[in-house]
Amino acid sequence: MRWLGWVRASVGAALALAATWAGAAEYPAPHEGDWIARDFRFRSGEVLPELRLHYTTVGEPTGEPVLILHGTAGSGAGMLTPAFAGELFGPGQPLDARRYFIILPDAIGAGKSSRPSDGLRMRFPRYGYDDMVEAQYRLVTEGLKIRHLRLVLGNSMGGMQTWLWGEAHPDAMDALVPMASQPAAMSGRNWIMRRMLIEAIRSDPGWEGGDYTAQPKSLALANAFFGFGTSGGTLAYQALAPTRAAADKLVDDRLAAPFPADANDLLYQWESSRDYDPSPRLDRIRAPVLAVNSADDERNPPETGVMEEALKRVPTARLVLIPAGAETRGHGTTGMARFWAEALRSFLESVPRKQM
């Protein structure tokens, strides 16, 4: 029986995003580690003798394993925010770390995993999302010796990779929760804006083909432009900037904020989505799916009908669509777990555990 539903999530009071990790939730302190994947072969045919995969864990290895995948230019540890981990990992919360072993890997090219800025620059292998998923799978199965996951959950890029996990390793998990993503080819404004960010870096005279001595000046400006254009929410921005002066302050604050990213790393990260397309293999997904999107997502707008059409081919899936409001943040909404935490709890309670 096909399982597809539209659920309206409740909109509560805004979280105090300035709260520190320690004050946000009483979950165990995170731990970091590294594992080396030997002779890692990329889809391009290129091979790295040693691919470093960094990861963060919360909870004890004896708990039920949960894999959580971050968004573009993020990191595993970057998911440990009051708005995300603070709503999920504490006692009694949906992913209570006393019960679950939470694994937060840094994707290839991001965080503390191997990346172009380590020294290879533009000679680093040209990776894609399939390579990232394969590296995550090897980390889980070879590095951490885990045979089966209770849940794979990802946000934005991590959401797209969650769809790929369900196709590439359909028996590796009990459940899938892809968020802020669509199981369809990269296209439309989503790719147009990524391509513009990539071209802004490549066309900067200071980039010098990737062999720069100082970060290209356009980098921070292009990234800020991309952020305003593809994340934040229409109603939210109108509420935050009801006057030109308020809008100017938002821009000034964003441009003044420290931006320590590396241009080559960023270029690779955004370009890695170029061939994302899970649509040909959606029938391989066997695990129950709870897809979570927001109605004001600038990169995955529901009015295109792309998501609805794609989910017709995934009989195990249902969709939670968070309604737009002044407190949602467009593509960034799913980073605030309060909008979907109870839907996740109910979903997990309904999903049987497979014995592997």
Side-chain angles (χ1 to χ4, degrees):
M1 179 180 294
R2 182 166 173 268
W3 183 31
L4 173 63
W6 293 78
V7 180
R8 289 195 168 269
S10 61
V11 179
L15 288 171
L17 295 181
T20 62
W21 166 78
E26 297 176 359
Y27 57 84
H31 298 280
E32 297 185 54
D34 291 286
W35 181 72
I36 302 297
R38 308 287 178 185
D39 298 319
F40 187 88
R41 181 175 294 275
F42 293 78
R43 291 291 180 96
S44 65
E46 298 165 282
V47 177
L48 273 185
E50 294 187 350
L51 176 68
R52 183 183 66 256
L53 297 171
H54 187 79
Y55 61 93
T56 302
T57 63
V58 181
E60 296 298 323
T62 52
E64 291 187 90
V66 169
L67 184 68
I68 295 182
L69 307 175
H70 65 78
T72 308
S75 68
M79 307 293 280
L80 298 175
T81 64
F84 191 87
E87 295 286 328
L88 296 174
F89 302 164
Q93 292 179 336
L95 296 178
D96 187 335
R98 298 173 304 176
R99 174 180 175 184
Y100 293 101
F101 179 54
I102 300 159
I103 308 158
L104 304 121
D106 292 354
I108 296 173
K112 298 178 183 178
S113 289
S114 293
R115 53 190 179 175
S117 61
D118 289 341
L120 288 177
R121 297 196 173 200
M122 293 301 290
R123 293 173 294 280
F124 194 86
R126 194 166 179 250
Y127 61 82
Y129 283 8
D130 288 322
D131 296 312
M132 293 179 177
V133 169
E134 181 59 24
Q136 293 157 2
Y137 181 76
R138 289 187 59 181
L139 169 65
V140 169
T141 58
E142 299 175 32
L144 299 176
K145 309 297 183 185
I146 293 172
R147 296 178 58 197
H148 189 77
L149 296 161
R150 174 61 177 157
L151 170 69
V152 178
L153 179 151
N155 190 41
S156 190
M157 177 183 77
M160 289 186 273
Q161 292 171 0
T162 299
W163 291 109
L164 296 177
W165 259 89
E167 295 179 349
H169 306 288
D171 297 316
M173 75 294 292
D174 291 339
L176 296 163
V177 178
M179 304 189 301
S181 63
Q182 296 181 144
M186 179 60 61
S187 62
R189 182 167 58 188
N190 198 351
W191 177 245
I192 290 169
M193 293 297 290
R194 291 164 190 256
R195 176 70 189 280
M196 291 300 293
L197 180 58
I198 293 164
E199 293 304 322
I201 296 172
R202 290 186 184 276
S203 64
D204 191 309
W207 182 59
E208 297 183 357
D211 292 324
Y212 44 83
T213 55
Q215 295 296 329
K217 293 182 179 179
S218 67
L219 182 61
L221 179 62
N223 190 70
F225 190 95
F226 181 89
F228 280 124
T230 69
S231 186
T234 302
L235 296 177
Y237 274 135
Q238 188 60 36
L240 291 169
T243 65
R244 193 190 71 184
D248 282 339
K249 186 176 187 308
L250 281 181
V251 173
D252 292 341
D253 289 347
R254 185 75 60 90
L255 293 177
F259 187 65
D262 177 82
N264 288 339
D265 288 349
L266 200 68
L267 189 156
Y268 267 78
Q269 288 161 4
W270 288 110
E271 195 173 45
S272 66
S273 64
R274 63 193 175 278
D275 58 357
Y276 169 75
D277 184 9
S279 60
R281 300 197 301 166
L282 286 175
D283 58 351
R284 287 179 53 85
I285 295 175
R286 289 197 282 270
V289 178
L290 178 71
V292 182
N293 279 5
S294 53
D296 54 352
D297 187 335
E298 300 90 341
R299 301 182 204 174
N300 303 291
E303 57 267 27
T304 64
V306 170
M307 183 68 161
E308 191 171 6
E309 282 301 309
L311 288 187
K312 290 178 181 178
R313 297 180 51 211
V314 188
T316 63
R318 65 185 278 246
L319 173 67
V320 169
L321 187 68
I322 303 167
E327 294 180 1
T328 58
R329 293 296 181 267
H331 187 72
T333 299
T334 47
M336 298 182 286
R338 64 188 172 92
F339 288 112
W340 47 267
E342 288 309 310
L344 173 64
R345 186 198 303 276
S346 298
F347 173 65
L348 284 177
E349 289 174 352
S350 72
V351 176
R353 288 172 171 79
K354 294 180 182 178
Q355 299 297 322
M356 300 296 291

